Amino acid sequence: MNVLCLVELDEAGVTDASLRALTFARSLATGGPAAPGATGPVVAAVAFGPADRVPASLLGRYGVTEAYVVEPSALDGYAPQAWARTLEGLLSVTLAAAVVAAGTDCGSEVLAHLGALTGQPMAANCLTASPEADGTLAVSRQRWAGLLIEDAILDGTPALLTVATDVVPPVPVDDAADPAVLVHEPDLDPADLRVRAAVSAGRDGGVSLATARVVVGGGRGVGGPDGFAPLEELARLLGGVVGVSRVVTSQGWRPHTQQVGQTGTKITPELYLACGISGAIQHMAGCASAKHIVVINTDPAAPILSRADYAVIGDLAEVIPALVAALKERA
Amino acid sequence: MEVAVCVKRVPQVGGRIVVTPDGQDVDTRMSGFAISPHEECAVEEAVQITERLGGTVSVLTLGPAEAADQLRDALALGAHRAVLLEDGGREWGPAGTAAAIVAEVRRRAAEGPGCDLLLLGNEAADTGDYQVGVRVAHGLGWPCATGIKHLEITGDGARARREYRGREETFEFGLPAVITVKEGINLPRYPSLPGRLRAKRAAIEQYQPQWQPEGLRKRALRVPDQPRQQATVLGTGADAVPALVRLLEELGVLK
Ligand SMILES: Cc1cc2nc3c(=O)[nH]c(=O)nc-3n(C[C@H](O)[C@H](O)[C@H](O)COP(=O)(O)OP(=O)(O)OC[C@H]3O[C@@H](n4cnc5c(N)ncnc54)[C@H](O)[C@@H]3O)c2cc1C
Ligand SMILES: Nc1ncnc2c1ncn2[C@@H]1O[C@H](COP(=O)(O)O)[C@@H](O)[C@H]1O
């Protein structure tokens, strides 16, 4: 089956979320019957930006066989409905039976528009998809921010899917070849451009919560807005950032940008050190992909202890300053 | 300014999520119900807008008769009118839900002052379909912005901002429009006592939209495998710090 995948570009080339979406697109393409007369399934990628910024060899390493680029002269910047219209136009060019995007703000929004433009259903945050004999797809997808999995049947051509990017790993191919990069001119409707983004300059430096290697988490147990200084210091010593629970943001102790969880940020660090957090499932939905979870909590029966690797039972106001002192001494 | 807000009644699960034996639903025997935090913020945003600019806030839900509770919660926060679209005991998907919302917005516009701004959550807490707002916008032919965390209403237009990958994206467009918001756009207020009393007495309009089948058909729900079991306890209080430092060393997170 031919599959078209939306690829988001960044300074490093292609976003990590898009590499995961490409991996998903490739397994979907090779899992089904090939298009009639074709030598092999096509994994087509489409990116928006200057052609010289499209990293062909990186795309090739992730199984892309054809790359389309929409240059700023044709469509400048992010306009969700115009991006969806472009994907719609590429369906007949690529003979794609499925369209895939990362389950990011951008990918989810563009595929929702494509669903509305084509009148097709869209399955959000998929983990797996495989063609059935009757032409439908068997999919598994996240509900409840990943706390539940739904097994479902997706009808319709093209099949529209976003990929749960915190779960599906990015896997390169063995026999990579650079795809041709073809400039594509989309056929847009004026209404497609009613909503387009003006984008600010990037935040300079600073580690972001979503990509930090270490996150020091603080919950209600921190006690108040003044309790976060030792957590900040610990995060700094570990080269990481502070993340918080919803209790902390809804009390106004910390800004919502620091919230980890279902309605906050999903984190994927090497280490999540969760202090004074009980481990409500909506919080765990944001940190389940952490490689290691270590807990500091006064309550040995707190639910988070049954979802963590290691724990210190104790008052964080005592343990964290002692840990900070020990790390400083060591340095 | 006429603002309408779409909210969805969902189970309020605590420490654990359990699926019914037939695999079709979340077991709600032990849980309460609520709307998603995103939608709470949408209600708050709508109330703040009409406090500034005048006008009314309508809350709208598609759900069972009991979803009147969630409408009353929104009325207690300052919404003025409430509409319950009865789901007829069926599970609705995103396309059908969007169609029912579109029909209700059109019906209102035919009867009186139409809606200038329609607010939804970015995604529902339970199904997480990430699309009802966009589908509603297409149904109405209105512009749409999603995932918004900062909103200004400027005369006859809107300026909406969100953060994406460390940058800020700003969208400007005319009204009427559909905007989906995320938690963080504001800090919702607590309901006042007079607000609660008013909500208790308020009338709720009810309609019965026609259910339609969806192209994504659920077979079963399941809880994903839990890779982690009970945590190994390193020690108690500050005495555990040496063991904690050794662990951090082993995990390779110390510079
Ligand atoms: C749809 C929905 C979405 C949600 N989204 C999110 C989300 O994105 N993120 C999120 O976090 N929550 C979210 N929640 C809320 C969630 O259900 C919990 O209410 C919240 O996570 C609890 O925060 P907490 O662990 O800080 O507080 P609590 O549950 O009150 O836990 C505090 C913990 O601190 C411990 N403690 C107390 N004092 C100390 C001390 N001195 N030292 C060490 N430990 C101490 C206690 O033993 C306890 O375990 C959501 C809820 C819903 C319904
Ligand atoms: N049954 C419903 N009734 C009213 N609004 C809904 C309903 N389902 C979804 N919505 C709205 O659409 C948003 C996105 O939902 P979804 O696309 O299903 O993730 C939610 O946050 C709600 O604001």
Side-chain angles (χ1 to χ4, degrees):
Chain A
M1 168 197 302
N2 291 0
V3 179
L4 173 63
C5 183
L6 172 65
V7 163
E8 298 178 53
L9 302 178
D10 68 5
E11 288 68 26
V14 169
T15 62
D16 176 66
S18 290
L19 294 180
R20 293 163 185 261
L22 281 173
T23 306
F24 180 96
R26 186 174 87 234
S27 75
L28 176 57
T30 51
T39 48
V42 171
V43 179
V46 57
F48 294 80
D52 60 10
R53 274 195 51 209
V54 176
S57 61
L58 178 61
L59 293 177
R61 274 210 302 289
Y62 282 85
V64 172
T65 56
E66 285 173 11
Y68 295 88
V69 58
V70 178
E71 296 223 74
S73 56
L75 169 51
D76 194 10
Y78 181 56
Q81 188 172 317
W83 284 31
R85 186 77 70 187
T86 304
L87 291 171
E88 188 188 21
L90 279 168
L91 289 171
S92 55
V93 179
T94 58
L95 301 178
V99 183
V100 169
T104 57
D105 280 356
C106 164
S108 312
E109 176 176 49
V110 170
L111 252 59
H113 277 283
L114 186 56
L117 289 174
T118 57
Q120 294 299 328
M122 187 264 263
N125 291 316
C126 295
L127 305 168
T128 59
S130 55
E132 298 278 273
D134 62 359
T136 61
L137 289 184
V139 302
S140 62
R141 60 175 290 259
Q142 293 180 332
R143 283 194 182 197
W144 292 90
L147 299 166
L148 274 190
I149 296 173
E150 172 187 9
D151 294 309
I153 295 294
L154 179 62
D155 296 330
T157 309
L160 308 179
L161 312 101
T162 69
V163 181
T165 47
D166 57 331
V167 179
V168 176
V171 183
V173 292
D174 302 327
D175 48 346
D178 288 9
V181 177
L182 308 162
V183 173
H184 178 73
E185 293 276 340
D187 194 3
L188 301 176
D189 196 282
D192 296 336
L193 294 164
R194 272 189 305 187
V195 177
R196 59 199 304 172
V199 181
S200 72
R203 228 195 352 241
D204 43 284
V207 188
S208 91
L209 182 58
T211 57
R213 255 190 100 236
V214 175
V215 176
V216 177
R220 192 198 301 273
V222 176
D226 304 331
F228 282 90
L231 278 77
E232 291 284 1
E233 187 171 17
L234 177 58
R236 201 157 27 77
L237 286 169
L238 295 172
V241 296
V242 168
V244 303
S245 74
R246 178 156 177 256
V247 165
V248 169
T249 56
S250 57
Q251 302 280 337
W253 297 351
R254 285 270 137 173
H256 187 272
T257 46
Q258 290 189 326
Q259 182 174 314
V260 171
Q262 177 169 355
T263 51
T265 300
K266 287 199 169 191
I267 60 171
T268 52
E270 281 289 313
L271 170 66
Y272 183 45
L273 183 59
C275 313
I277 293 175
S278 63
I281 60 170
Q282 298 91 355
H283 185 81
M284 300 316 286
C287 64
S289 303
K291 196 81 156 288
H292 305 283
I293 299 181
V294 181
V295 167
I296 302 176
N297 201 303
T298 43
D299 179 6
I304 194 164
L305 264 79
S306 62
R307 299 198 171 91
D309 302 301
Y310 297 94
V312 172
I313 306 304
D315 185 346
L316 66 91
E318 188 190 316
V319 179
I320 294 180
L323 177 58
V324 165
L327 292 179
K328 280 186 174 161
E329 199 167 306
R330 192 179 160 277
Chain B
M1 180 74 53
E2 298 297 309
V3 188
V5 187
C6 299
V7 301
K8 182 180 188 184
R9 172 184 168 92
V10 298
Q12 198 170 28
V13 287
R16 221 154 68 90
I17 193 162
V18 180
V19 174
T20 53
D22 66 359
Q24 292 300 301
D25 282 300
V26 171
D27 188 335
T28 55
R29 281 173 310 176
M30 307 296 277
S31 64
F33 289 85
I35 64 173
S36 157
H38 294 325
E39 294 153 30
E40 266 171 49
C41 290
V43 172
E44 174 65 31
E45 194 68 17
V47 171
Q48 287 186 16
I49 289 170
T50 54
E51 280 171 352
R52 271 197 313 273
L53 304 175
T56 53
V57 175
S58 310
V59 272
L60 166 64
T61 192
L62 168 70
E66 295 79 15
D69 294 347
Q70 280 63 51
L71 293 176
R72 290 192 199 281
D73 288 347
L75 289 167
L77 290 175
H80 306 91
R81 308 185 45 204
V83 180
L84 174 64
L85 304 177
E86 277 183 301
D87 64 9
R90 307 195 77 143
E91 187 168 340
W92 291 58
T97 301
I101 293 170
V102 167
E104 171 56 21
V105 171
R106 291 230 175 93
R107 191 193 60 73
R108 276 293 298 285
E111 279 181 4
C115 169
D116 302 303
L117 177 63
L118 187 58
L119 298 180
L120 299 90
N122 187 64
E123 84 276 359
D126 57 348
T127 51
D129 285 311
Y130 287 80
Q131 56 191 280
V132 169
V134 173
R135 288 188 188 270
V136 168
H138 279 259
L140 293 168
W142 294 0
C144 176
T146 70
I148 295 306
K149 283 198 154 181
H150 185 91
L151 178 60
E152 285 167 68
I153 301 299
T154 55
D156 55 359
R159 184 181 299 126
R161 282 209 311 264
R162 69 180 185 189
E163 209 188 283
Y164 188 54
R165 291 201 272 125
R167 290 168 199 275
E168 213 161 61
E169 298 181 330
T170 307
F171 303 91
E172 279 188 64
F173 43 84
L175 299 180
V178 175
I179 296 179
T180 80
V181 308
K182 279 194 188 172
E183 188 181 46
I185 189 171
N186 54 42
L187 264 185
R189 71 194 68 188
Y190 289 100
S192 64
L193 191 58
R196 282 219 191 105
L197 293 173
R198 193 167 6 91
K200 221 168 141 183
R201 290 192 305 264
I204 292 179
E205 296 168 47
Q206 300 200 7
Y207 301 93
Q208 277 86 28
Q210 183 69 45
W211 180 84
Q212 63 181 59
E214 296 272 338
L216 180 67
R217 290 174 280 131
K218 175 179 73 185
R219 286 208 292 209
L221 301 176
R222 59 192 157 95
V223 180
D225 296 338
Q226 254 287 322
R228 273 179 264 267
Q229 299 298 318
Q230 196 63 27
T232 306
V233 174
L234 296 171
T236 305
D239 293 345
V241 165
L244 189 49
V245 172
R246 270 198 304 281
L247 174 68
L248 299 184
E249 247 161 20
E250 274 168 36
L251 299 182
V253 294
L254 295 186
K255 280 179 276 188

